[in-house]
Amino acid sequence: MELLSPTAIAKKNALAVQEYAHLSARSIANLFRRPLYLADIIQQADLIGVGSLPIVVLTGTFTGMVLALNTSATLQQFGSLSLTGQLVSVSMVRELGPVLTSLMVAGRNASGMASELGSMQVTEQIDAMRALGTDPYKKLVTPRVTSTVFMMFFLTIISDLVGLVGGYIISFLLLGLDTFQYWNSAYQALKYNDVITGLIKPLFFGFIIATVGCYYGLSTRGGTQGVGRSTTQAVVAASVLILAVDVVLTKLLLSFA
Amino acid sequence: MAASNHLPIDTIHKTIIFDDVAIAFEDQVVLDGISFELKRGETKVLFGVAGSGKSTILKLALGLMKPDRGHIYVLGHDVTTMTEEELFDLRNQVGIVFQESALFDSFTVRENVAFRLMEEKLPEDEIEKRVREALSFVELEHTMDMLPSELSGGMRRRVGIARAIITHPEVLLYDSPTGGLDPITSTTIIELIMKQRDVYKTSALLVTHRLQDGFTLATHRYDPEAKHMVPLDGAVSRDVHTSFLILRDGKVIFDGTAVDLGHIENAYIREYIS
Ligand SMILES: Nc1ncnc2c1ncn2[C@@H]1O[C@H](COP(=O)(O)OP(=O)(O)OP(=O)(O)O)[C@@H](O)[C@H]1O
Ligand SMILES: [Mg+2]
């Protein structure tokens, strides 16, 4: 590990932020420029959406179950067990559905993008693509960003639904709540603002996952070791950024309530 | 020899012009005032020890990196002042074979070679025809559906050549196409490069560690009837389509024909070519 002066480190970080911002801006700008790589978008959507489905269904279900168990313990003390559905649905839709789904997809796809583009970078395939007259930002980055944003939206909805089902399974089997009671309170509890918040968040998170993954991939240096480093950093950076942006978004969207 | 002094740049006779180009990585100066010209239809062979900046010259010519100083003209365009967006069009007229092939490893050989044509959205049957043509040029038609990882190093180089030539670019840049290959495969590749030079009249920069590659190019021509190379009759000096350039410590220490090279007294060059 080489030693750097604090100013050198600050400079390096400022440059990295600048490059990341540049990549993000370009990935959006390319949406309005030809060619639009539709086949690549569909391929990525399949990889991200269909590929992440099992893991999203599993985490969603278990989270819903755990929510039901935890809240029921508290609710029972106040004799209001019937509110379980309400608590599960609000927590799931506002917060846990979007955040857990994006953390899962970050672990799976931000790392995947970083390692794929990273290997391409260190084996000169990115340079080869540029040399062949194709813009890697258009061909590689924009399709990944588009399909991640698109897919995160639907994956989150699925996660919310299976979370509610998970909560229902626990409520019905272990807590003895009846079906109508659970679903009715779950449905009644949701306000317009909850739903909007829950559906806007994944769009931002999806954007973070793909741009961070691609950024670390394309800035990979130093052979296979560098690819490993980029992959890890991409997941860490994407996860932290998701949680930080979540705070800001939650605050902002609450002010519209 | 500052090209900027006699604008407009002579693009009829010169395809690539380096004018006082310098580049450094961190604190290491790699190129320090490089100037040379590549004439139309000429193949210039670049020599220099490992790390002397040969690959860097090719990447600079394509605008893949920018020099710290100087100008580079390719087909009349100053690549040092162009944006990446503008460069994409120019790069379509230039082919490059990378030192480590740089084939797309998740694409088949067919998709690699067809890459440019697919980007241009040509009709399927047209692509198929031209891929076959390019692959038969490098005698690798049977590898169409294989992945690059299933090929040998020499085969990968030849696929790299096929990918570069498929659009018949005006300029070709070969980075060590014979590096680490056996003499027979090397000769096959040199013959391909000669065929490009003599049949398609392509201008080219060729980086190589084997002096022999340069001399073979300077002393042979491709015979399209016999479909192989034949020695040039008469003096070597008749061939003006091949020239040599030697780099040392970031400078050009020799730029001329094979005959000139034979007459040079410089001790380093004598040692290099012995
Ligand atoms: N992207 C880069 N970052 C940092 N240094 C670089 C980079 N590219 C090249 N260099 C340095 O520039 C010098 C010249 O590299 P280059 O690849 O052009 O050499 P070369 O003449 O092609 O060598 P070889 O014959 O081994 O292929 C080397 O010392 C290398 O360390
Ligand atoms: Mg090299």
Side-chain angles (χ1 to χ4, degrees):
Chain A
M1 193 73 201
E2 53 184 325
L3 283 174
L4 291 172
S5 71
T7 41
I9 294 173
K11 237 185 224 167
K12 224 171 115 182
N13 285 332
L15 195 69
V17 170
Q18 191 188 343
E19 279 173 2
Y20 172 72
H22 179 235
L23 177 141
S24 304
R26 250 171 106 170
S27 71
I28 297 176
N30 283 339
L31 278 177
F32 307 101
R33 293 212 199 108
R34 302 302 102 187
L36 195 64
Y37 290 94
L38 207 58
D40 295 84
I41 293 181
I42 292 170
Q43 192 200 355
Q44 286 300 320
D46 182 53
L47 204 72
I48 296 160
V50 181
S52 305
L53 202 54
I55 190 177
V56 165
V57 167
L58 286 175
T59 40
T61 315
F62 291 137
T63 308
M65 288 177 157
V66 150
L67 270 176
L69 282 174
N70 277 330
T71 50
S72 69
T74 316
L75 289 173
Q76 210 147 30
Q77 290 175 10
F78 303 102
S80 35
L81 203 56
S82 56
L83 294 179
T84 309
Q86 175 175 346
L87 281 169
V88 171
S89 80
V90 174
S91 321
M92 226 31 231
V93 170
R94 279 197 73 91
E95 194 56 49
L96 292 170
V99 170
L100 285 177
T101 306
S102 10
L103 290 180
M104 287 297 144
V105 175
R108 206 178 156 271
N109 295 100
S111 58
M113 290 174 203
S115 66
E116 188 185 357
L117 300 197
S119 319
M120 290 183 77
Q121 178 66 259
V122 299
T123 54
E124 291 191 318
Q125 289 177 58
I126 300 286
D127 275 347
M129 189 173 278
R130 292 168 65 207
L132 289 167
T134 295
D135 186 348
Y137 285 90
K138 270 188 208 150
K139 173 95 178 160
L140 300 173
V141 178
T142 303
R144 280 169 175 71
V145 174
T146 320
S147 33
T148 314
V149 170
F150 193 72
M151 281 298 151
M152 268 305 299
F153 183 80
F154 292 103
L155 285 173
T156 302
I157 294 178
I158 291 171
S159 169
D160 292 348
L161 288 177
V162 296
L164 280 168
V165 171
Y168 167 69
I169 293 171
I170 292 291
S171 308
F172 185 75
L173 293 181
L174 297 184
L175 309 177
L177 287 177
D178 81 59
T179 308
F180 176 77
Q181 209 176 11
Y182 177 85
W183 287 109
N184 190 47
S185 84
Y187 176 76
Q188 296 292 339
L190 284 182
K191 294 196 195 63
Y192 184 67
N193 184 265
D194 298 329
V195 177
I196 292 296
T197 304
L199 292 182
I200 286 180
K201 280 179 179 179
L203 304 180
F204 283 84
F205 298 162
F207 185 76
I208 291 173
I209 292 168
T211 47
V212 168
C214 292
Y215 168 74
Y216 277 100
L218 290 179
S219 54
T220 302
R221 300 284 173 276
T224 27
Q225 213 184 4
V227 176
R229 205 165 37 228
S230 294
T231 309
T232 322
Q233 284 174 341
V235 179
V236 173
S239 307
V240 172
L241 206 55
I242 285 170
L243 294 174
V245 169
D246 186 39
V247 177
V248 178
L249 274 181
T250 306
K251 176 77 190 110
L252 272 179
L253 291 165
L254 269 179
S255 60
F256 291 110
Chain B
M1 189 174 50
S4 40
N5 292 347
H6 46 86
L7 287 165
I9 309 125
D10 177 5
T11 52
I12 308 295
H13 304 101
K14 314 270 164 60
T15 45
I16 296 183
I17 301 169
F18 269 60
D19 181 19
D20 191 33
V21 172
I23 190 169
F25 295 106
E26 273 103 55
D27 292 329
Q28 177 203 7
V29 176
V30 174
L31 300 178
D32 184 15
I34 298 284
S35 300
F36 69 86
E37 299 178 342
L38 179 72
K39 293 206 259 318
R40 204 162 274 269
E42 176 188 38
T43 293
K44 195 181 269 300
V45 191
L46 266 53
F47 295 108
V49 293
S52 53
K54 305 181 295 295
S55 303
T56 306
I57 288 185
L58 299 195
K59 286 181 190 159
L60 284 168
L62 269 181
L64 295 176
M65 39 172 99
K66 300 270 183 214
D68 301 334
R69 186 182 86 214
H71 290 273
I72 300 164
Y73 303 91
V74 176
L75 298 168
H77 302 276
D78 185 351
V79 298
T80 53
T81 58
M82 287 163 83
T83 64
E84 182 83 0
E85 202 68 30
E86 294 166 335
L87 280 166
F88 287 125
D89 287 331
L90 179 64
R91 289 182 189 141
N92 279 322
Q93 300 165 56
V94 183
I96 183 168
V97 180
F98 281 86
Q99 191 160 9
E100 310 291 344
S101 305
L103 299 179
F104 301 119
D105 52 16
S106 49
F107 287 2
T108 61
V109 167
R110 179 206 307 265
E111 291 165 333
N112 264 286
V113 176
F115 189 83
R116 265 194 180 162
L117 307 182
M118 294 196 307
E119 288 296 295
E120 284 167 24
K121 302 235 183 308
L122 262 66
E124 284 296 328
D125 44 341
E126 165 85 12
I127 293 181
E128 183 71 17
K129 197 183 108 232
R130 287 178 56 183
V131 169
R132 263 182 204 291
E133 186 185 278
L135 278 174
S136 74
F137 186 84
V138 295
E139 291 162 19
L140 280 176
E141 264 180 292
H142 58 285
T143 63
M144 280 262 234
D145 296 311
M146 290 162 101
L147 287 170
S149 56
E150 298 170 300
L151 304 178
S152 75
M155 288 158 101
R156 256 177 268 168
R157 291 274 165 68
R158 276 143 68 198
V159 174
I161 295 178
R163 182 173 72 176
I165 61 169
I166 191 157
T167 48
H168 298 298
E170 282 182 63
V171 186
L172 274 164
L173 311 170
Y174 305 96
D175 198 346
S176 316
T178 60
L181 299 180
D182 61 277
I184 297 176
T185 314
S186 301
T187 310
T188 316
I189 287 177
I190 290 301
E191 206 171 42
L192 287 175
I193 293 171
M194 199 179 295
K195 191 163 154 189
Q196 275 296 318
R197 181 193 67 188
D198 297 343
V199 178
Y200 298 99
K201 312 286 181 214
T202 315
S203 319
L205 289 180
L206 165 66
V207 169
T208 178
H209 288 116
R210 301 190 341 144
L211 208 56
Q212 195 197 337
D213 292 346
F215 283 112
T216 311
L217 279 167
T219 55
H220 291 70
R221 66 178 174 83
Y222 189 83
D223 184 343
E225 260 95 72
K227 286 198 181 349
H228 58 74
M229 60 183 180
V230 293
L232 281 175
D233 19 86
V236 179
S237 58
R238 258 200 232 154
D239 175 48
V240 290
H241 299 303
T242 306
S243 64
F244 292 13
L245 185 145
I246 305 179
L247 285 175
R248 189 193 184 188
D249 298 334
K251 308 243 188 244
V252 174
I253 57 166
F254 176 83
D255 186 5
T257 65
V259 177
D260 300 338
L261 192 55
H263 296 150
I264 283 279
E265 295 300 333
N266 184 310
Y268 180 85
I269 295 176
R270 290 248 65 92
E271 192 190 8
Y272 198 99
I273 62 175
S274 62

